Amino acid sequence: MAEEDVNQVTPGARVEEKLYNVRFKTDEDRSHLIVLDNQLCNRCVDKPCTVFCPVTVYKWENGEHKISVSYEKCVECGACRIGCPYFNIEWKYPKGGFGVQYKFG
Amino acid sequence: MKRLKRRTLSEANLAATDRFDVVVVGAGLAGTAASYLLAKAGLSVLCVERGEDPGTKNVMGGILYRQPTEKILPGWWKDAPVERPIVEERIWLVTPDSMVQGGFRSARYGEEPYNAFSVLRVKFDKWFADQAVGAGAVLVTDTVVEDVLRENGRIVGVTTGREQGDVHGDIVIAADGVNSLLSKKAGLHPELAPHQVALVTKEIINMSREKIEDRFLLNANEGATIEVFGDSTMGMLGYGFIYTNRDSLSIGVGALLSDLIKKKINPNVLMEHFKSHPMVKRLLEGGEAKEYMAHLIPEGGAASMPPVYRQGMLVVGDAAGLSNPIYREGSNLALMSAKFAAQVCVEAHERGDFSAEMLSRYQTLLDESFIMDDLRGYSKTSSFFQGKPQFLERYPEILVDALHEFLTVDNVPKRAKQRRILRQVLSRRAPWELARDAVGALRALT
Ligand SMILES: Cc1cc2nc3c(=O)[nH]c(=O)nc-3n(C[C@H](O)[C@H](O)[C@H](O)COP(=O)(O)OP(=O)(O)OC[C@H]3O[C@@H](n4cnc5c(N)ncnc54)[C@H](O)[C@@H]3O)c2cc1C
Ligand code: SF4
Ligand code: SF4
């Protein structure tokens, strides 16, 4: 699919690799991001959250017909709060002192 | 300089000292500046920050300007952890294989008191917060402010994510950045729309000082900036930047969130596109990536600003939408708005009046300053360029091809060349379109 081609990067430049350098303090008990209604995601044609999130927290799970949320790598930019066309993402800050901890900024 | 210890309050004594003249939410530039000024004026101030330390959540290019920052802390740059004073600013207009360059360099900028500095926010914010604590502000970190505290419909403080975490304050200053959940909770702010924010990614690339100075043609410890327009944003409205730090580069690129959604482009892919441009790649060669970050910038100018005051509350900095990204201004607006807010808090405190009417003085101060004048202009600029990709794609290409034609020595008489260039330009854009865009762009930028 053409779309996927545009969003290819060379191995080594993938965001997964880049995140090795980023420090996180993960709240193991609770996700600060919650997709509210799977039905809406099913109907959401482009599923933009899977593309615009700078660290690809959201992934469409074909088999399960739902979005999976890897909240532990979220860098708290807030884009998904604004960019989900159905406001289907409940967005909170991680608990105080948790989440991303930049070293340079 | 003496290292000041901040007073981190335990859960128990947060409840015990639960009344302050002013509660500031967020220890970014605006929040810390307000806390510092208020503490110096003798008011009791609590500043609440959700990060482990001030700065750990914050991302900036980041060029911090000497003069506006001196309005808060005279001589700040002598002690603050700055990276390099900026002596040269360049602008590049790029097509996939070429570049048109403009720039300004001044030896004056390399001398005291300097004009601007590159900074890294994690270091800077921590230092800045220490100054506020040194002046008497109380700083609590690791704590999320969840909501405003209301009594009979009036705002009387904030609730935090801690047990017994309610804190009373006569005035709450929302300095909680671009996402400002607090001003939305207080009913000031509807949600932003995707065309009102830019999503920017940034990386830190480690590099030796000598290499940086060689590549950017700098004397020891001097810094340079490059802003990159055109192909760098894959046809989306935005730009890329490269700034020199002491022993690293800051590289970033951003575009309107609405454009990223429309074009279905992932921000890391945009970053890699930018980094792979031949002129950019050359500057980064041999560097080592150290950190990847993402942050939003408010993009709407005055037109998408929320109301910035109500009874018991003021909104400052990015939270109020105060940013002028085309001129790389945000830090200075955050600091100046904090100064105005602090001034109004002091007046309100003296009169014991925290009504909306009293606090509307803050809006007046913003209106009378350069801030609102610039931001009204920015609304015009950003709405003009939205939906006009020709400025980022077609026009740079036309310009590059014209320069190619002109500068390629091939024994064609100059007059014939000029005619050929004109023909080429007109074959790609009708005269009336050119005229309309030129007039429009001039109006939008002035
Ligand atoms: C990539 C990028 C590059 C930029 N480059 C430049 C530049 O070169 N020059 C320039 O002048 N400007 C630049 N800007 C703009 C500038 O960074 C901002 O305008 C400025 O940081 C705004 O300061 P602020 O204090 O309002 O917000 P912030 O600096 O974002 O501070 C907000 C603070 O509030 C805290 N917070 C948020 N919510 C809560 C809560 N509920 N409870 C407790 N704490 C909370 C956050 O953790 C944070 O510390 C850039 C911005 C970006 C994103
Ligand atoms: S953008 Fe919103 S509705 Fe669409 S898939 Fe993502 S979360 Fe679901
Ligand atoms: S806040 Fe930003 S990083 Fe986190 S999930 Fe949303 S888009 Fe991704």
Side-chain angles (χ1 to χ4, degrees):
Chain A
M1 221 161 62
E3 258 164 54
E4 271 162 359
D5 289 341
V6 177
N7 282 317
Q8 267 331 312
V9 293
T10 52
R14 281 199 302 262
V15 88
E16 287 71 22
E17 265 100 350
K18 294 187 181 184
L19 286 178
Y20 285 133
N21 283 325
V22 181
R23 204 155 60 93
F24 289 96
K25 189 163 149 198
T26 305
D27 181 353
E28 306 288 349
D29 302 334
R30 190 191 73 126
S31 169
H32 63 287
L33 307 166
I34 296 168
V35 172
L36 296 169
D37 180 356
N38 278 322
Q39 297 298 320
L40 273 177
C41 298
N42 264 291
R43 268 183 277 142
C44 176
V45 182
D46 288 330
K47 310 199 192 330
C49 64
T50 63
V51 178
F52 68 65
C53 169
V55 292
T56 47
V57 161
Y58 301 99
K59 230 177 103 196
W60 178 247
E61 304 293 348
N62 242 327
E64 296 165 60
H65 296 284
K66 63 171 222 189
I67 293 277
S68 65
V69 185
S70 313
Y71 72 94
E72 67 286 349
K73 56 181 179 174
C74 168
V75 293
E76 302 156 35
C77 71
C80 57
R81 206 171 52 75
I82 299 170
C84 166
Y86 301 103
F87 298 105
N88 197 21
I89 297 167
E90 186 186 277
W91 197 95
K92 290 198 175 122
Y93 290 117
K95 208 159 68 188
F98 285 82
V100 70
Q101 320 256 5
Y102 288 131
K103 290 170 290 188
F104 301 97
Chain B
M1 211 197 79
K2 182 164 66 112
R3 174 111 178 85
L4 296 157
K5 195 101 190 81
R6 83 164 167 255
R7 280 185 276 165
T8 305
L9 297 185
S10 72
E11 278 160 45
N13 60 20
L14 179 60
T17 52
D18 67 350
R19 216 215 131 270
F20 291 86
D21 294 327
V22 181
V23 178
V24 178
V25 181
L29 294 175
T32 296
S35 302
Y36 173 80
L37 295 172
L38 288 165
K40 261 191 57 176
L43 274 66
S44 65
V45 196
L46 173 71
C47 181
V48 187
E49 166 60 44
R50 68 188 187 89
E52 186 183 51
D53 260 318
T56 56
K57 301 289 184 183
N58 299 341
V59 182
M60 177 164 132
I63 305 303
L64 190 59
Y65 304 99
R66 194 261 309 160
Q67 191 262 7
T69 314
E70 265 182 333
K71 301 273 181 217
I72 313 295
L73 255 175
W76 64 277
W77 46 272
K78 292 176 194 153
D79 297 321
V82 295
E83 296 293 313
R84 288 171 184 263
I86 302 303
V87 300
E88 178 168 330
E89 311 214 8
R90 302 180 200 161
I91 294 183
W92 290 1
L93 189 61
V94 297
T95 61
D97 68 354
S98 304
M99 169 247 279
V100 185
Q101 177 169 223
F104 179 67
R105 181 178 184 126
S106 170
R108 259 186 262 167
Y109 286 166
E111 293 163 6
E112 293 191 1
Y114 306 104
N115 177 48
F117 298 87
S118 49
V119 298
L120 296 168
R121 288 288 299 274
V122 175
K123 288 193 220 165
F124 183 83
D125 287 15
K126 198 162 181 245
W127 174 85
F128 199 30
D130 281 346
Q131 310 312 302
V133 171
V138 177
L139 171 68
V140 178
T141 56
D142 299 287
T143 304
V144 178
V145 167
E146 309 268 0
D147 204 344
V148 291
L149 190 64
R150 288 187 181 78
E151 266 169 24
N152 308 320
R154 295 170 60 81
I155 292 181
V156 295
V158 299
T159 63
T160 68
R162 290 167 177 265
E163 295 237 330
Q164 297 181 305
D166 291 358
V167 187
H168 285 78
D170 293 331
I171 301 176
V172 175
I173 297 184
D176 51 343
V178 55
N179 284 300
S180 193
L181 300 190
L182 196 66
S183 53
K184 293 175 189 77
K185 290 254 163 87
L188 287 170
H189 212 287
E191 194 50 91
L192 289 163
H195 70 276
Q196 291 172 323
V197 292
L199 175 52
V200 192
T201 56
K202 176 183 161 184
E203 289 187 38
I204 296 289
I205 310 284
N206 264 19
M207 195 173 279
S208 74
R209 291 178 195 194
E210 299 73 39
K211 208 177 246 178
I212 292 174
E213 286 154 9
D214 280 353
R215 275 187 198 174
F216 289 81
L217 310 175
L218 297 165
N219 297 319
N221 302 319
E222 290 181 346
T225 64
I226 308 177
E227 251 78 44
V228 187
F229 294 86
D231 174 66
S232 45
T233 49
M234 302 170 86
M236 299 181 286
L237 195 59
Y239 64 89
F241 61 82
I242 306 168
Y243 304 148
T244 54
N245 302 317
R246 208 178 279 259
D247 41 28
S248 66
L249 302 178
S250 288
I251 175 164
V253 60
L256 284 185
L257 179 58
S258 53
D259 278 2
L260 286 160
I261 293 174
K262 199 160 63 198
K263 293 221 164 191
K264 301 181 187 166
I265 291 173
N266 174 263
N268 182 46
V269 171
L270 175 62
M271 171 60 95
E272 287 306 311
H273 173 81
F274 180 44
K275 283 165 82 179
S276 67
H277 189 279
M279 281 69 179
V280 175
K281 198 171 165 188
R282 178 66 192 81
L283 288 177
L284 305 179
E285 231 158 47
E288 191 193 352
K290 280 292 176 192
E291 187 158 59
Y292 172 82
M293 297 152 263
H295 206 280
L296 295 177
I297 297 185
E299 278 284 343
S304 49
M305 275 177 66
V308 293
Y309 68 91
R310 54 160 287 181
Q311 167 279 322
M313 187 164 179
L314 296 170
V315 189
V316 294
D318 274 9
L322 301 176
S323 114
N324 195 351
I326 218 173
Y327 294 97
R328 202 212 294 124
E329 291 186 18
S331 62
N332 54 333
L333 308 181
L335 294 167
M336 283 314 292
S337 64
K339 188 177 166 82
F340 293 146
Q343 184 182 330
V344 171
C345 286
V346 171
E347 287 168 24
H349 179 75
E350 277 163 7
R351 295 187 200 178
D353 175 2
F354 313 105
S355 65
E357 198 190 346
M358 175 68 219
L359 299 189
S360 72
R361 271 279 293 149
Y362 169 59
Q363 175 81 64
T364 310
L365 289 174
L366 285 179
D367 282 339
E368 288 169 355
S369 74
F370 74 99
I371 296 182
M372 290 315 298
D373 200 45
D374 281 0
L375 292 190
R376 274 187 288 269
Y378 188 73
S379 290
K380 222 171 47 169
T381 314
S382 87
S383 62
F384 175 79
F385 285 105
Q386 282 189 28
K388 294 195 180 61
Q390 63 266 32
F391 282 96
L392 295 166
E393 288 175 324
R394 186 121 43 121
Y395 289 152
E397 273 162 26
I398 291 176
L399 181 63
V400 160
D401 289 347
L403 286 168
H404 247 278
E405 181 69 43
F406 191 70
L407 295 171
T408 305
V409 176
D410 54 3
N411 299 347
V412 175
K414 300 283 173 284
R415 293 249 300 266
K417 257 190 198 264
Q418 284 160 12
R419 280 196 300 274
R420 202 194 284 169
I421 290 172
L422 194 63
R423 263 203 313 278
Q424 272 179 9
V425 172
L426 294 178
S427 72
R428 289 156 83 178
R429 197 96 181 133
W432 64 269
E433 285 175 312
L434 283 171
R436 187 196 54 193
D437 281 348
V439 172
L442 261 177
R443 275 213 196 113
L445 287 167
T446 52

